């Protein structure tokens, strides 16, 4: 809760809205005990008194009634009606949405078609029609405003409920013996309450405005009772001669609606988990750099990463995702980067082209040299011209790089023409060739397909074709086969291996699978807690791992063909990178750990074969 | 002895393109007639690629999805009405994604309590004692009970999921990819825990996974699914070592293994479920396919001893 308030008030406009609305609500609540004239007391002798006249702070209206008093009572009424309408619309709409979304099928079909029909009418027309049927009156206006807003809530909440109803914890609740009603009340509803609150807080302003509108037309509150809309309506006749009678309620409506909307937006932002972690600002085009100075190059190579440090600064916490990582990639070489979830593989890969999201990502040290040119802190224009043309990425989920609404052929053509000014026909020819290169059968015809029309394996081939579009020198593949079936994985690996040999591509291959590394990579680097702990030629590392972590990780992976057996495990968990222990990060899980392991920084020793351990399993 | 779990001609089809009135536009057969038995105390491993019907089968077995036809028997008793509460006391499910299978707005205690209260009517001190026992069984500390799911790592969350499944005191656990969301170093912790619990509580497991090596390591028998049908079954040590069905062989050859060159890279995809082939579903990808294969669907039959395959021309060992 206090977190919620802090987030809310971080947004200054929302804080302002909250203060203004708070004042108005307090005044409205206190109205009955404030020393005001009775709101309906007429005194025709004092008609249209100007503001600041004696005894009438805001003047009087066409019947000589005190405007301040009418304003306060009117505000009280308008607020009450607006809140009530929002509550009714929210509750009814949410109930309909939850039921339609949860039960699905025919229930869903029938109710949602009904809701669609309601939505087909113009908003205000529908409200007018409802009041026309029920007769004028404040309560009927409330009903009308609530009814026209129900579809909005029903649609929104239905969408959210559908998402929740397919989550596994709902199935788990069923298996725990709960009935539909219990599941709805105890599993579904608590998860949609924030959504209902967000929807209400962002629409309540409109509902107050709509009620005022109906009253303005004489369909809401009936004379002599004052609400903000009817005050405006009555003042209309004297708009020119006594403008203050319109301005007073008008300004109040403006203040209420504005403050409600500002506050509503603030509540939405504070409750939305996507906006919670980072700032509200737009991500930067390239990762932020805060580096003292570039380390001297330690060698050459097509791509050289030297002592790279990438961190995430979230509030007071610093996550050292990549901690002085050095790697080298030569032309035509395949380097495997292996490690468990959260070890920093992806962040290392994304740092190369400045693709780590900023905020919260910051590159705080090191150098990344492509053909000798340092990319860290390079101007965005340079990075953009290199992305795709020199260094291309393949991700685990090809859908993240493919646009769902364009044909894959057109996307390939677009990718080619971004970096090269060739004719459309030429680009098209090349696109087909690329699809053939990645062994897509019937390439010319498949080029007209949309991404969702292809299987996972086919999509990943298109992802590879996109990466190859501009003949890059380096491909960085981040777990490109993890989401695929084994037979498809074998096809993709064979394809990558082929392309590497036929085109001289250098590949940085990220994975957590030793089998894949063994089959594809010349060299391998093992990451743990943001650091490289071991590196060397693949066959040597796999046959005689030197770091205790590598050795035990390999032992955890069951191999096919050995039959039923017990599996080795590493007790404990990988370290959290915002709280790394001093010394060896593996020490808490290592059987060989001694005091010296926990004392201080341990260097990555060796040349072609490197290991970061005081007591390695074998001397490399 | 009656098997713990037995299915007879279990099938499930789905209607595609439902209309408000009138018949659906098309039907897809997600699970073709499937019969198998799992003896008490054994683990049946089920492998197959995405879309082959693994999860549909699992959901039918726990009563989350009514079968289109066929029968499920648990310890000799037929369960025909799909009612998760009736199934729940006999057979439980451990989900693939440990985090999304726990309601983010409930404490761990509330999550574990649900099956105890609803299925066994427990309350008071008996309830507390049972929760403590369950938590002890899955090696979790009791102070976790008052926390919320997002505070746990994947491995811990999966243990909570196992504790919840065990709370119902089932005879059978369906493990649907229980470790594929976990890190390798943590994966083995959960697998070893499952093995221990099985012996201690005399449970029967159905272990579904796409990781062949893991399935082989934990199963007594393995069944291979392809396109909604059982294509091969046999003892765990034989199925991948000496596959009899060409598809099983393709699977075994495709698994990346240290010290083996890239291989098994064969093109081809699953047939279109809306337009299933007449004969063997694997015929378009099979190097041994004959005319007979394209005409007639092969039946599952004994190849040798207790190894079965649905193939007209099974491989020699
Ligand atoms: N946007 C972010 N904000 C804060 N921390 C982050 C962010 N992205 C990544 N991290 C942290 O950086 C560390 C390294 O993450 P990274 O994604 O590189 O791991 P990985 O090795 O690729 O893991 P996986 O196998 O799960 O893909 C993790 O501890 C993660 O929590
Ligand atoms: S440095 Fe010490 S604790 Fe770390 S891996 Fe080596 S032996 Fe184990
Ligand atoms: S039945 Fe024929 S096509 Fe099918 S797997 Fe056997 S040999 Fe191949
Ligand atoms: Mg990653």
């Amino acid at each position: 809760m206090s977190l919620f308030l802090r987030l809310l008030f971080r947004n200054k406009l929302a804080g302002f809205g909250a203060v203004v609305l708070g004042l108005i609500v307090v005044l409205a609540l206190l109205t009955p005990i404030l020393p005001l004239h009775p709101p309906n007391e007429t005194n025709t002798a004092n008609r249209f008194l100007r503001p600041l006249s004696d005894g009438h702070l805001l003047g009087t209206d066409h019947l000589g009634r005190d405007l301040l008093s009418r304003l306060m009572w009117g505000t009280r009424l308008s607020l009450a009606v607006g809140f009530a309408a929002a509550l009714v619309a929210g509750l009814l709409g949410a109930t309909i949405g939850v039921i339609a979304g949860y039960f699905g099928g025919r229930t869903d079909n029938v109710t949602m078609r009904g809701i669609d029909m309601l939505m087909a009418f113009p908003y205000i027309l529908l409200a007018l029609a409802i009041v026309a049927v029920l007769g004028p009156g404040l309560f009927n206006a409330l009903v009308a405003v609530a009814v026209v807003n129900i579809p909005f809530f029903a649609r929104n909440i239905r969408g959210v409920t559908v998402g929740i109803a397919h989550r596994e914890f709902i199935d788990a609740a069923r298996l725990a013996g709960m009935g539909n009603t219990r599941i709805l009340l105890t599993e579904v509803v608590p998860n949609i309450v924030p959504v209902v609150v967000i929807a209400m807080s962002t629409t309540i302003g409109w509902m107050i405005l709509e009620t005022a509108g109906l009253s303005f037309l004489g369909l809401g509150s009936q004379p002599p009772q004052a609400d903000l809309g009817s005050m405006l309506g009555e003042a209309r006749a004297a708009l020119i001669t006594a403008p203050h009678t319109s301005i007073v309620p008008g300004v109040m409506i403006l203040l209420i609606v504005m403050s409600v909307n500002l506050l509503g937006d603030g509540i939405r932002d504070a409750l939305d988990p996507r906006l919670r972690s980072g700032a509200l600002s737009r991500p930067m085009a390239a990762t932020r750099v805060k580096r003292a100075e570039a380390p001297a190059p330690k060698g050459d190579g097509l791509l050289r990463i030297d002592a790279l440090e990438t961190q995430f600064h979230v509030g007071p916490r610093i996550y050292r995702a990549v901690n002085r990582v050095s790697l080298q990639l030569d032309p035509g070489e395949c380097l495997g980067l292996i490690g468990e979830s959260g070890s920093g593989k992806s962040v290392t890969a994304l740092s190369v082209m400045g693709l780590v999201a900023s905020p919260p990502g910051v590159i705080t040290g090191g150098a990344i040299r492509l053909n000798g040119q340092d990319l860290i802190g390079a101007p965005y224009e340079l990075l953009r011209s290199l992305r795709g043309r020199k260094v291309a990425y393949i991700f685990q989920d090809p859908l993240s790089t493919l646009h769902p609404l364009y044909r894959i052929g057109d996307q390939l053509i677009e990718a080619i023409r971004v970096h090269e000014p060739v004719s459309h026909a030429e680009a098209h020819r090349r696109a087909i060739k690329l699809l053939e290169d990645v062994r897509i059968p019937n390439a010319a015809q498949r080029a007209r397909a949309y991404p969702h029309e292809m299987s996972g394996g086919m999509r990943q081939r298109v992802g590879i074709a996109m990466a190859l579009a501009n003949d890059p020198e380096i491909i960085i593949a981040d777990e490109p086969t993890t989401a695929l079936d084994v037979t498809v994985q074998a096809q993709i690996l064979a394809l990558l291996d082929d392309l590497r040999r036929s085109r001289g591509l250098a590949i940085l291959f990220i994975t957590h699978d030793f089998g894949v590394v063994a089959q594809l990579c010349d060299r391998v680097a093992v990451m743990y807690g943001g650091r490289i702990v071991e590196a060397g030629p693949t066959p040597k590392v796999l046959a005689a791992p030197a770091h205790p972590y590598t050795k035990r990780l390999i032992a955890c992976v069951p191999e096919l063909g050995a039959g039923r057996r017990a599996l080795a495990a590493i007790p404990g968990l990988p370290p959290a990178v915002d709280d790394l222990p001093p010394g060896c990060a593996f020490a808490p899980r290592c059987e060989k750990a001694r005091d010296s392991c926990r004392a201080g920084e341990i260097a990555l020793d060796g040349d072609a074969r490197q290991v970061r351990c005081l007591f390695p399993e074998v001397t490399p | 002895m009656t098997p713990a779990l037995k299915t007879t001609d279990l099938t499930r089809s789905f209607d595609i393109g439902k209309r408000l009135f009138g018949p659906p536009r098309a039907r897809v057969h997600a699970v073709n007639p499937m019969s198998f038995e799992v003896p008490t105390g054994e683990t049946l491993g089920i492998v197959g690629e995405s879309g082959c019907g693994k999860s549909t089968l699992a959901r039918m077995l726990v009563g989350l999805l009514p079968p289109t036809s066929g029968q499920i028997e648990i310890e000799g008793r037929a369960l025909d009405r799909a009612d998760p509460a009736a199934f729940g006391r006999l057979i439980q499910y451990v989900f693939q994604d440990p985090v999304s299978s726990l309601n983010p707005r409930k404490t761990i205690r509330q999550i574990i309590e649900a099956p105890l209260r609803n299925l066994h009517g427990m309350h008071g001190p008996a309830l507390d004692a049972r929760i403590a026992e369950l938590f002890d069984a899955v090696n979790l500390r009791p102070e976790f009970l008052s926390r919320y799911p997002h505070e746990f790592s994947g491995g811990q969350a999966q243990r909570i999921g196992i504790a919840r499944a065990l709370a119902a005191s089932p005879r059978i656990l369906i493990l649907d990819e229980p470790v594929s969301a976990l890190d390798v170093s943590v994966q083995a912790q959960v697998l070893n825990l499952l093995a221990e619990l099985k012996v201690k509580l005399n449970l029967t497991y159905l272990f579904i996974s796409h990781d062949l090596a893991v399935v082989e390591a934990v199963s007594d028998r393995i069944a291979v699914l392809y396109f909604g049908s059982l294509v091969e079954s046999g003892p765990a040590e034989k199925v991948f070592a000496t596959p009899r069905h060409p598809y099983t062989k393709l699977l075994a050859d495709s698994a990346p293994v240290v010290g083996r060159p890239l291989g098994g890279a064969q093109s081809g995809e699953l047939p279109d479920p809306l337009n299933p082939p007449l004969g063997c579903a694997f015929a378009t990808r099979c190097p041994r396919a004959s005319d007979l294969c394209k005409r007639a669907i092969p039946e599952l039959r004994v190849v040798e001893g207790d190894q079965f395959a649905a193939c007209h021309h099974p491989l020699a060992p």
Side-chain angles (χ1 to χ4, degrees):
Chain A
M1 194 64 204
S2 72
L3 171 73
F4 170 74
L5 287 180
R6 230 185 23 250
L7 285 168
L8 184 62
F9 281 94
R10 193 170 64 187
N11 182 343
K12 296 227 168 48
L13 284 174
F16 172 71
V19 170
V20 173
L21 187 67
L23 269 177
I24 295 175
V25 169
V26 168
L27 284 178
L29 287 177
L30 293 180
T31 302
I33 56 165
L34 291 180
L36 295 168
H37 294 269
N40 298 331
E41 183 189 64
T42 57
N43 179 357
T44 23
N46 281 339
R47 297 176 63 205
F48 292 132
L49 283 186
R50 300 280 139 172
L52 301 179
S53 37
D54 219 12
H56 299 286
L57 195 58
L58 291 179
T60 57
D61 70 357
H62 62 295
L63 295 175
R65 295 176 292 198
D66 180 50
L67 264 184
L68 177 64
S69 162
R70 284 183 76 71
L71 179 73
M72 292 318 300
W73 286 96
T75 303
R76 195 175 145 87
L77 196 58
S78 287
L79 278 179
V81 173
F83 276 109
L87 218 57
V88 171
L91 287 182
L92 285 180
T95 312
I96 294 175
V98 164
I99 290 176
Y102 179 74
F103 289 102
R106 198 151 288 179
T107 321
D108 182 34
N109 244 323
V110 173
T111 25
M112 289 331 277
R113 288 303 87 75
I115 294 289
D116 284 348
M117 256 159 6
L118 268 186
M119 278 184 119
F121 286 103
Y123 217 48
I124 200 75
L125 212 63
L126 184 61
L128 285 177
I130 294 172
V131 178
V133 172
L134 298 177
L138 197 54
F139 181 75
N140 293 344
L142 188 160
V143 172
V145 169
V147 167
V148 297
N149 280 291
I150 284 179
F152 166 77
F153 284 95
R155 283 220 147 270
N156 252 335
I157 301 301
R158 175 190 167 268
V160 179
T161 311
V162 168
I164 292 173
H166 289 110
R167 296 273 292 279
E168 292 178 334
F169 65 81
I170 299 290
D171 283 339
R174 276 205 192 108
L175 289 170
M178 294 196 197
N180 280 331
T181 323
R182 292 267 310 268
I183 293 182
L184 271 177
L185 291 179
T186 67
E187 308 280 328
V188 179
V189 169
N191 281 294
I192 58 157
V193 166
V195 188
V196 179
V197 171
I198 290 172
M200 268 202 222
S201 63
T202 47
T203 48
I204 202 164
W206 291 113
M207 298 206 210
I208 292 175
L209 213 53
E210 282 156 17
T211 335
L214 287 176
S215 290
F216 177 81
L217 295 174
L219 299 169
S221 78
Q222 298 300 306
Q225 196 184 32
D227 84 343
L228 294 174
S230 63
M231 284 174 74
L232 263 184
E234 287 165 3
R236 187 176 33 174
L239 188 61
I240 308 293
T241 51
H244 69 280
T245 48
S246 324
I247 290 174
V248 164
V251 166
M252 182 54 93
I253 291 182
L254 180 76
L255 279 180
I256 293 179
V257 173
M258 185 192 68
S259 60
V260 166
N261 283 349
L262 287 178
L263 180 63
D265 284 352
I267 292 179
R268 184 197 58 206
D269 292 350
L271 283 181
D272 192 330
R274 273 167 305 172
L275 300 172
R276 190 174 278 182
S277 57
L280 293 170
S281 57
R282 210 161 55 92
M284 304 207 290
T287 311
R288 196 154 68 89
V289 175
K290 227 173 72 187
R291 169 177 76 165
E293 67 185 87
K298 293 235 174 58
D300 39 56
L302 175 58
L303 178 72
R304 250 211 90 78
I305 302 178
D306 283 311
L308 175 69
E309 271 178 43
T310 307
Q311 308 183 337
F312 292 96
H313 295 186
V314 183
R317 286 222 160 89
I318 296 183
Y319 295 83
R320 295 173 206 283
V322 177
N323 207 341
R324 299 184 65 80
V325 163
S326 301
L327 292 170
Q328 175 182 340
L329 191 62
D330 291 320
E333 185 187 39
C334 180
L335 170 64
L337 191 56
I338 196 165
E340 291 179 90
S341 183
S343 59
K345 309 182 294 288
S346 300
V347 177
T348 306
L350 293 174
S351 300
V352 172
M353 282 283 118
L355 291 174
V356 179
S358 272
V362 193
I363 295 181
T364 49
I368 294 171
R369 294 190 176 85
L370 181 65
N371 290 320
Q373 183 183 22
D374 192 358
L375 300 180
I376 291 182
Y380 172 64
E381 283 311 308
L382 175 70
L383 284 181
R384 208 193 54 175
S385 79
L386 294 175
R387 286 178 190 172
R389 195 164 56 83
K390 291 272 183 197
V391 181
Y393 284 85
I394 305 171
F395 295 102
Q396 177 172 341
D397 176 13
L399 284 182
S400 64
T401 40
L402 294 176
H403 194 293
L405 298 180
Y406 292 97
R407 299 173 195 279
I408 56 158
D410 294 342
Q411 299 191 47
L412 271 170
I413 292 173
E414 173 73 27
I416 294 171
R417 302 223 292 174
V418 167
H419 288 297
E420 266 181 280
V422 295
S423 72
H424 190 277
E426 166 67 13
H428 183 259
R429 201 187 54 74
R430 277 213 241 160
I432 305 289
K433 173 80 171 48
L434 280 169
L435 291 177
E436 281 166 1
D437 285 351
V438 294
R439 319 267 145 68
I440 289 187
N442 243 332
Q445 199 193 334
R446 287 290 184 124
R448 282 196 291 275
Y450 291 96
H452 70 263
E453 294 171 344
M454 313 188 101
S455 68
M458 282 294 162
R459 273 202 296 256
Q460 193 54 286
R461 282 167 205 246
V462 176
I464 297 177
M466 292 283 277
L468 293 176
N470 292 292
D471 235 332
E473 291 167 28
I474 299 172
I475 284 199
I476 298 182
D478 191 351
E479 312 227 18
T481 58
T482 303
L484 304 175
D485 287 316
V486 265
T487 60
V488 184
Q489 162 168 303
Q491 295 164 17
I492 299 283
L493 292 180
L495 172 65
L496 280 173
D497 196 47
D498 257 18
L499 291 170
R500 162 163 92 102
R501 292 180 205 286
S502 60
R503 298 187 172 217
L505 274 174
I507 301 181
L508 177 60
F509 195 94
I510 297 175
T511 178
H512 61 263
D513 188 329
F514 281 105
V516 171
V517 166
Q519 293 187 327
L520 191 67
C521 302
D522 309 310
R523 286 190 302 124
V524 60
V526 184
M527 274 188 96
Y528 188 76
R531 286 199 172 95
I532 305 269
V533 295
E534 171 158 16
T538 313
K540 289 202 179 130
V541 172
L542 293 185
H547 198 281
Y549 171 66
T550 320
K551 180 169 178 199
R552 295 183 55 194
L553 192 62
I554 291 176
C556 287
V557 185
E559 258 181 57
L560 195 62
R564 202 183 152 82
R565 77 218 90 127
L567 297 169
I570 308 179
L573 293 172
V577 288
D578 60 330
D579 185 22
L580 286 172
C584 176
F586 188 58
R589 303 170 82 185
C590 182
E591 284 164 351
K592 303 168 72 180
R594 295 190 218 160
D595 287 345
S596 53
C597 300
R598 301 187 185 91
E601 194 74 356
I602 296 166
L604 185 63
D605 268 342
D607 202 12
R609 184 92 163 76
Q610 298 171 301
V611 59
R612 191 192 294 279
C613 175
L614 294 179
F615 311 104
E617 305 282 336
V618 294
T619 350
Chain B
M1 205 172 89
T2 43
L5 174 69
K6 180 177 174 189
T7 70
T8 322
D9 290 331
L10 197 62
T11 71
R12 172 71 206 196
S13 48
F14 290 101
D15 295 338
I16 299 292
K18 270 194 204 144
R19 288 183 269 204
L20 202 47
F21 304 104
R25 284 172 231 276
R27 313 200 86 191
V28 207
H29 298 276
V31 174
N32 295 320
M34 206 173 278
S35 309
F36 59 83
E37 290 182 5
V38 193
T40 307
E42 284 205 352
T43 299
L44 174 67
I46 295 199
V47 297
E49 294 179 271
S50 59
C52 73
K54 298 189 297 273
S55 293
T56 311
L57 174 66
R59 292 172 63 82
M60 283 197 284
L61 292 177
V62 290
L64 285 172
L65 198 67
T68 306
S69 67
Q71 218 183 27
I72 302 168
E73 265 172 56
I74 295 174
E75 299 189 328
R77 280 199 287 152
L79 285 171
D80 38 19
R81 199 168 45 94
D83 171 12
F87 279 59
R89 285 182 206 100
L90 296 169
I91 186 163
Q92 279 284 343
Y93 200 97
V94 175
F95 295 87
Q96 170 169 8
D97 184 345
V99 177
S100 105
S101 72
L102 304 175
N103 188 340
R105 294 189 181 266
K106 289 193 157 184
T107 63
I108 304 307
R109 172 181 290 279
Q110 288 173 314
I111 289 171
I112 306 261
E113 265 179 11
L116 292 171
R117 285 182 189 277
N118 296 317
L119 296 172
H120 295 285
M122 268 190 197
H123 48 82
L127 181 73
D128 291 339
R130 178 85 176 114
I131 291 179
E133 187 186 311
L134 286 167
F135 247 55
D136 190 44
V138 296
N139 303 331
L140 287 173
R141 287 202 294 278
E143 64 257 31
F144 288 172
L145 281 169
S146 54
R147 300 208 195 149
Y148 287 88
H150 69 262
E151 299 173 48
F152 295 95
S153 72
Q156 289 170 327
Q158 194 57 292
R159 281 186 227 189
I160 295 168
I162 293 171
R164 170 180 55 196
L166 291 176
S169 317
R171 306 299 313 131
I172 304 170
L173 277 192
I174 309 282
L175 305 154
D176 189 355
E177 306 259 9
V179 295
S180 45
L182 307 181
D183 269 321
V184 210
S185 76
V186 182
Q187 182 171 310
Q189 297 173 5
V190 173
L191 290 175
N192 292 342
L193 169 71
L194 284 170
E196 228 174 80
L197 290 170
K198 190 175 98 157
V199 176
K200 204 155 76 186
L201 304 171
N202 192 23
L203 294 168
T204 305
Y205 287 167
L206 202 81
F207 191 102
I208 300 176
S209 177
H210 69 273
D211 188 330
L212 310 185
V214 166
V215 169
E216 193 190 56
V218 303
S219 307
D220 296 291
R221 287 180 69 82
I222 293 177
V224 183
L225 297 194
Y226 184 71
F227 200 61
S229 303
L230 206 61
V231 295
E232 174 154 7
S233 74
E237 63 279 7
K238 282 201 200 154
V239 168
F240 295 124
T242 54
R244 296 314 189 91
H245 194 282
Y247 174 64
T248 316
K249 179 160 168 49
L250 173 65
L251 274 184
D253 289 348
S254 303
V257 171
V258 179
R260 192 169 71 188
L262 275 172
Q266 194 199 46
S267 64
E269 288 186 60
L270 287 172
D272 178 6
L274 285 173
N275 190 13
L278 262 185
C280 174
F282 191 58
T284 49
R285 303 166 75 177
C286 182
R288 301 166 74 87
S290 67
D291 274 348
L292 173 65
C293 304
K294 290 181 184 119
R295 267 186 287 119
I297 297 180
E299 295 281 326
L300 188 70
R301 55 174 173 254
V302 180
V303 185
E304 186 197 304
D306 50 1
Q307 203 168 356
F308 299 75
C311 176
H312 293 304
H313 316 292
L315 298 159

